[in-house]
Amino acid sequence: MRNIFAETLYKCAVNNKDIYIIAADISPAGSIETFRKNYPDRFINVGVAEQVLIGVAPGLAMSKKRPFAYTIATFALYRPFEMIRDDLCYQNLSVTIVGMGGGTIYSTLGGTHLTQEDISIARSIPNMNIIAPCDPNELKEAVNYLAFKSKGPTYLRIGKSGEKNFTDEKTEKWEFGKIRKVADGKDICILTFGPIIKIAFQLREHLRKKNELAIFSFHTLKPINYGQLKKIMKDFSRIVIIEDHSEIGGLSSIIKNYAIENKYTGKIQNFSLKDNFFHKYGSQDDLLQLHGISFNQIAKNKIFN
């Protein structure tokens, strides 16, 4: 995803001279390096100084520029939180914070590099928008939107590398603020976001003879399209939530709170990161399994029977 982000943003920058990239301790590579060489005045690397990363962005935005502040997700959001809250969101400035490697992607680097509560934190800040594309195709659409149309601060949560596409031209069109259906089905639907959507498609294939699972990419986590969510709850008696994020403040909280408020009578089952720091190192799949989020663990759940 990081390569697709860089390639798409570079193409946008060719046509929009107001696009700036501010990086923090990320070595320029690929299209980011091409951007740095071709537009050196629009590329700023602040080094290991994430507060400065966010401190520079508001000044650019107030000068009618469109800055993208880009680094690893934990350092993009947590370390400069005060600046994000006061300098960006309080002033409602059009800055995109790009958090690369969201969720458990950086599993081998330990807890300091995991963002298991970033969406919860970002959602709590007034004026902050949140986009978490499910695959490279959605990321392209999101970057184009952020480069030309978005208003106000946005947290863009992306993967890292190796993600495959699950959407194509046959899928519903991507739109900011839309809950996007990416696979038709009946009775059961899966709501998810980010690259972990791959588990949803594994489940769909596995359960094909029993149920046709509908899959929705909940790529915009703020603002929420409650009109669409209401229709989903009307159409489906069973809802499964899969997210690479804490069970507190993420998609499961959004869905369950709305279900209670609207007296939803169906079944809801969420597979989210537990409210726990596991002091383990290993692959992302290893860590997700500790949290109960693997294909085998989810497929055995009674909600599918």
Side-chain angles (χ1 to χ4, degrees), residues 110-111 114 116 273-281 287 289-292:
L114 303 181
Q116 62 190 64
L273 301 182
K274 299 182 185 305
D275 182 27
N276 191 0
F277 287 123
F278 289 107
H279 295 266
K280 303 287 185 180
Y281 292 85
L287 187 55
Q289 187 163 4
L290 287 173
H291 285 277

Side-chain angles (χ1 to χ4, degrees), residues 27-39:
S27 298
S31 295
I32 294 289
E33 173 63 10
T34 303
F35 182 96
R36 185 185 69 82
K37 288 181 178 179
N38 291 346
Y39 307 108

Side-chain angles (χ1 to χ4, degrees), residues 202-216:
Q202 291 172 345
L203 289 165
R204 179 177 166 84
E205 181 65 26
H206 175 70
L207 298 170
R208 179 166 291 179
K209 294 181 180 179
K210 296 181 181 180
N211 302 288
E212 286 289 335
L213 297 183
I215 301 174
F216 290 82

Side-chain angles (χ1 to χ4, degrees), residues 216-233:
F216 290 82
S217 172
F218 215 111
H219 54 73
T220 302
L221 290 146
K222 188 181 177 183
I224 303 298
N225 191 320
Y226 287 108
Q228 276 190 286
L229 185 53
K230 183 177 182 179
K231 185 177 187 306
I232 288 171
M233 289 187 171

Side-chain angles (χ1 to χ4, degrees), residues 5-6 8-10 12-13 16 18-24 32 35 42-45 53-54 56-58 60-61 65-71 76 88 94-99 131 139 142-150 154-156 158:
F5 164 74
T8 308
L9 187 58
Y10 176 76
C12 293
N16 186 350
D18 291 329
I19 291 176
Y20 279 66
I21 297 178
I22 316 167
I32 294 289
F35 182 96
R42 292 196 273 150
F43 179 84
I44 303 167
N45 192 337
L53 173 81
I54 301 302
V56 170
L60 290 169
K65 308 303 181 185
R66 192 168 282 265
F68 286 73
Y70 172 57
T71 192
L88 298 188
S94 294
V95 173
T96 299
I97 301 168
V98 184
I131 302 175
L139 179 56
V143 172
N144 275 290
Y145 166 78
L146 292 165
F148 296 102
K149 298 179 181 179
S150 67
T154 301
Y155 176 53
L156 176 64
I158 70 175

Side-chain angles (χ1 to χ4, degrees), residues 1-3 5-6 9 21-24 26 32 50 53-54 67-80 84 88 95-106 112-119 122 128-134 139 142-143 146 153-161 163 193-195 219 221 244-245 284:
M1 270 186 164
R2 62 183 174 186
N3 290 337
F5 164 74
L9 187 58
I21 297 178
I22 316 167
I26 295 285
I32 294 289
E50 287 79 5
L53 173 81
I54 301 302
F68 286 73
Y70 172 57
T71 192
I72 294 172
T74 46
F75 309 121
L77 187 67
Y78 298 164
R79 189 169 294 167
I84 290 171
L88 298 188
V95 173
T96 299
I97 301 168
V98 184
M100 188 261 292
T104 57
I105 288 176
Y106 276 102
T112 59
H113 283 62
L114 303 181
T115 49
Q116 62 190 64
E117 61 284 280
D118 56 333
I119 290 167
M128 178 68 87
N129 300 308
I130 304 173
I131 302 175
C134 74
L139 179 56
V143 172
L146 292 165
T154 301
Y155 176 53
L156 176 64
R157 189 196 215 230
I158 70 175
K160 185 183 176 186
S161 60
E163 296 89 356
F193 61 89
H219 54 73
L221 290 146
D244 187 8
H245 185 274
Q284 184 183 17

